[in-house]
Amino acid sequence: MDIFSTQNILVHIPFGVGGYDLSWIEAIGTLAGLLCIWLASLEKISNYLFGLINVTLFAVIFFQIQLYASLLLQLFFFAANLYGWYAWSRQTSDHERALKIRWLSLPKALGWGAACVIAIALMTRYIDVVFGFLTRSAVQIMQGMGLQVSMPQLQPDAFPFWDACMMVLSIVAMILMTRKYVENWLLWVVINVISVMIFARQGVYAMSLEYAILTLIALNGSRMWIQSAREQGSRALAG
């Protein structure tokens, strides 16, 4: 059984027009992603193990369905998960966790906000050019590794602004999560809501449902991390 093939169907879901064939690799990757987000909301370092499984399997999926730019994005998330695992596991000399859940300072929040606005504006304008470049780069890299891949026929982005928002905010949210900033969860809520709308609009109802679940997890993560940040602040004032 080739479990890594998108053609190896686990179950047919009678959802939407014609239903949806859920493959083993997508099911396992999705489950790993859900566990990753849930464990991260609980501040469990094991979230990064499931995060690595998720991005690895999704990279394989994107390779098979020729979404090479998305594949390269998974490589970034793979590196970010490795860094997050290292950063969350660091301890101080008295064996306490070096990173604490906290809010961004106002200057840092304004800086990240300005960077997001500029990056989204540029990505919206040049998204087809950027993804074309990334796709060609990915194809050339894989061809250099001896893989038999060809350049896919790329179509213009269906939702350039919203797609740009998801890409930029996902990168920023991942970086903030590795540093245990509360704002990462607020960004994930926005990202997931956008994803639900876009996937539903495109008729990919199973993925829309998945991101609806992720939205609920992100909302819970926001609640828990906000509470934890308040407790950390109270302890700091008490100390």
Side-chain angles (χ1 to χ4, degrees):
M1 181 174 66
D2 187 4
I3 197 171
F4 294 105
S5 172
T6 55
Q7 301 304 313
N8 189 344
I9 306 302
L10 169 63
V11 64
H12 177 79
I13 303 174
F15 195 74
V17 179
Y20 185 77
D21 289 328
L22 181 67
S23 65
W24 279 91
I25 186 173
E26 184 181 355
I28 296 172
T30 299
L31 178 60
L34 291 172
L35 286 172
C36 169
I37 300 301
W38 175 252
L39 290 170
S41 72
L42 300 176
E43 202 183 353
K44 301 294 186 182
I45 196 172
S46 56
N47 87 85
Y48 288 109
L49 171 62
F50 292 99
L52 290 170
I53 295 173
N54 169 258
V55 299
T56 300
L57 295 183
F58 272 35
V60 174
I61 291 173
F62 291 139
F63 171 73
Q64 293 182 56
I65 63 178
Q66 296 183 309
L67 293 179
Y68 300 134
S70 296
L71 187 157
L72 287 181
L73 188 59
Q74 301 309 303
L75 298 182
F76 163 79
F77 286 138
F78 188 92
N81 273 283
L82 287 177
Y83 171 76
W85 197 333
Y86 160 75
W88 281 33
S89 63
R90 290 182 60 200
Q91 295 183 337
T92 61
S93 57
D94 54 354
H95 303 292
E96 291 187 355
R97 285 176 296 188
L99 281 180
K100 305 290 186 181
I101 293 177
R102 74 270 201 209
W103 293 91
L104 285 168
S105 64
L106 181 58
K108 285 185 177 180
L110 293 175
W112 277 109
C116 286
V117 170
I118 295 172
I120 289 172
L122 291 173
M123 185 61 69
T124 301
R125 175 67 178 83
Y126 298 107
I127 193 165
D128 292 327
V129 175
V130 170
F131 276 101
F133 170 77
L134 291 176
T135 302
R136 285 191 296 273
S137 299
V139 170
Q140 291 172 359
I141 291 172
M142 288 183 285
Q143 288 176 340
M145 296 169 60
L147 298 173
Q148 298 299 315
V149 297
S150 58
M151 182 68 185
Q153 184 67 35
L154 299 178
Q155 300 297 325
D157 196 287
F159 303 96
F161 172 73
W162 296 115
D163 215 2
C165 285
M166 287 194 295
M167 180 178 182
V168 172
L169 296 182
S170 293
I171 292 174
V172 173
M174 190 67 200
I175 293 173
L176 295 182
M177 177 180 282
T178 65
R179 303 304 301 166
K180 290 193 178 181
Y181 286 114
V182 174
E183 286 84 355
N184 89 87
W185 288 110
L186 307 180
L187 290 179
W188 285 125
V189 171
V190 174
I191 295 163
N192 293 332
V193 169
I194 294 173
S195 300
V196 168
M197 294 188 298
I198 288 181
F199 290 137
R201 181 75 178 274
Q202 294 295 80
V204 191
Y205 298 113
M207 292 190 70
S208 182
L209 177 60
E210 173 193 342
Y211 277 88
I213 296 173
L214 286 173
T215 301
L216 296 177
I217 296 176
L219 284 170
N220 185 60
S222 299
R223 178 187 64 82
M224 296 179 68
W225 278 42
I226 289 172
Q227 180 180 351
S228 180
R230 287 174 179 168
E231 292 174 354
Q232 299 287 354
S234 298
R235 283 197 289 269
L237 290 174

